[in-house]
Amino acid sequence: MTGSATILGLAGPTLGPDEAAFFRAADPWGFILFARNVEDPAQLTRLTSDLRAAVGRDCPILVDQEGGRVQRLRAPHWRDYLPPLDQVAAAGPHAARSLWIRARLIAEELRAVGIDANCAPTADIAGADTHPFLRNRCFGSDAATVIAHARTTAEGLLAGGVLPIVKHMPGHGRATADSHHDLPLVDADADTLFATDFKVFEALADLPLAMTSHVCYTAFDAAPATQSAVMVDLMRGKIGFDGLLMTDDLSMQALAGSIGERAARAMAAGCDIALHCNGKMPEMHEVAAAAGTLSPQAEARAARALTWRRAPEPADIPALLAELAEMLPAHV
């Protein structure tokens, strides 16, 4: 049966009865967790089990576990990781291998508590003017480097049984504003964008899931990509992505209007899933009503994405940790 075209958060570390009843009725495609939902492994394992029980199926549960500042599961119960760009610099010639190991270790930790999708890799290109909220979350400053490191990270997550969600399509690196607070405007011409930012996502277009950017690319449209039919058509057409396309968090202030209006505009533009993260019940009601159910095309893409879920490949975790420590002796 077709469910809600949403991925939703929740307020705290336990699933309350009102939340459970709402999720049962709304039937979101999946859930996303944040630091406010995380205390320790036993609690988190109960929570992911309770969320799946609320919707009556093995739904995907997402988290942002990039490493560095954007890491929801932290010490002392989980390993802390360097920001991606810092690890690339520290590992030097071993950067690609170190990133695969890192992704495999992250996947191991996530799977152990019932999380099976990670909002990573961040496939944006770091430039001199990239806003600090994003810059060290990137893998490099040129398309070829970012493609290679994003691919390696996705492969490490998949090897550990975790779905990668590539972001922020079609590229956030040129933005000089923080889309959590303002709408970034990128005025680079089309040829430049296709040769750089968009090129990365074209090379990763076979991956099963992607997240949009709340960025306005003035060479194409005046609306942010999340709410632009022109940009979604570009992602589907010239970039070639036919996986499940979710919005970035609709509660970010790059988007205007009520939360319901934001969701409705994103769905009208062609996004498959509305992502809402803050766990506020009145807003979730609005988003669920505005997003509606998965379209037949979105349902097919969602089903395809879930076929990428698989049991983790065998791994010698202590050996991987030791190898990573050799590459990053001051950081592991």
Side-chain angles (χ1 to χ4, degrees), residues 2-8 26-30 57 273 287-288 291-294:
T2 300
S4 170
T6 57
I7 296 170
L8 302 175
D27 193 22
W29 185 71
R57 56 188 161 81
I273 296 272
V287 169
T293 57
L294 289 163

Side-chain angles (χ1 to χ4, degrees), residues 66-69 81-92 95 98-99 102 122 124-128 130-132 134-142 145-146 149 153 328 331:
E66 299 174 11
R69 182 172 54 83
Y81 298 91
L82 288 170
L85 196 62
D86 294 355
Q87 178 163 324
V88 168
S98 81
L99 290 170
R102 164 204 186 97
T122 300
D124 306 311
I125 298 174
T130 300
H131 193 281
L134 179 67
R135 193 175 193 283
N136 70 357
R137 298 164 57 192
C138 303
F139 290 112
S141 57
D142 64 89
T145 299
V146 174
H149 291 340
T153 297
L328 304 167
H331 303 287

Side-chain angles (χ1 to χ4, degrees), residues 2-310:
T2 300
S4 170
T6 57
I7 296 170
L8 302 175
L10 73 158
T14 59
L15 178 64
D18 290 346
E19 289 174 322
F22 168 69
F23 292 146
R24 193 171 299 113
D27 193 22
W29 185 71
F31 297 98
I32 187 164
L33 301 180
F34 284 80
R36 66 178 184 270
N37 308 121
V38 176
E39 292 179 342
D40 57 60
Q43 165 269 328
L44 193 49
T45 302
R46 286 193 301 271
L47 179 59
T48 55
S49 177
D50 289 346
L51 287 169
R52 291 188 169 106
V55 294
R57 56 188 161 81
D58 186 19
C59 65
I61 297 181
L62 290 60
V63 75
D64 290 286
Q65 193 76 348
E66 299 174 11
R69 182 172 54 83
V70 181
Q71 180 173 332
R72 314 307 184 194
L73 284 64
R74 290 195 169 274
H77 300 293
W78 296 278
R79 301 177 192 93
D80 283 331
Y81 298 91
L82 288 170
L85 196 62
D86 294 355
Q87 178 163 324
V88 168
H94 307 293
R97 175 64 178 168
S98 81
L99 290 170
W100 186 93
I101 293 173
R102 164 204 186 97
R104 182 64 183 82
L105 294 172
I106 288 172
E108 189 82 6
E109 293 178 316
L110 298 184
R111 284 279 302 214
V113 293
I115 298 170
D116 60 359
N118 191 7
C119 299
T122 300
D124 306 311
I125 298 174
D129 297 324
T130 300
H131 193 281
F133 99 92
L134 179 67
R135 193 175 193 283
N136 70 357
R137 298 164 57 192
C138 303
F139 290 112
S141 57
D142 64 89
T145 299
V146 174
I147 290 166
H149 291 340
R151 172 69 65 182
T152 293
T153 297
E155 289 173 350
L157 290 170
L158 287 164
V162 169
L163 294 172
I165 301 168
V166 64
K167 61 188 185 185
H168 304 84
M169 191 176 284
H172 205 308
R174 291 180 184 274
T176 58
D178 181 348
S179 52
H180 292 85
H181 306 292
D182 301 288
L183 174 61
L185 303 178
V186 170
D187 59 6
D189 62 80
D191 288 344
T192 298
L193 289 167
F194 276 112
T196 54
D197 303 61
F198 297 179
K199 181 179 180 179
V200 176
F201 290 92
E202 183 178 3
L204 302 170
D206 61 303
L207 292 175
L209 300 115
M211 180 185 293
T212 64
S213 63
H214 297 335
V215 174
C216 173
Y217 306 87
T218 60
F220 298 93
D221 197 1
T226 299
Q227 298 175 328
S228 167
V230 171
M231 295 308 299
V232 173
D233 285 348
L234 182 150
M235 296 177 216
R236 296 297 190 197
K238 292 189 177 181
I239 288 176
F241 179 69
D242 194 33
L244 190 71
L245 184 66
M246 67 186 70
T247 72
D248 202 347
D249 181 14
L250 292 173
S251 58
M252 292 165 63
Q253 296 311 304
L255 304 182
S258 71
I259 203 74
E261 290 169 342
R262 296 177 190 187
R265 289 172 189 149
M267 303 308 287
C271 292
D272 295 318
I273 296 272
L275 173 67
H276 181 265
C277 296
N278 66 27
K280 295 179 180 178
M281 186 67 75
E283 291 191 13
M284 291 195 291
H285 278 279
E286 282 191 59
V287 169
T293 57
L294 289 163
S295 69
Q297 296 88 348
E299 192 165 18
R301 292 181 186 121
R304 248 191 343 264
L306 293 183
T307 66
W308 287 63
R309 293 200 293 192
R310 59 178 187 256

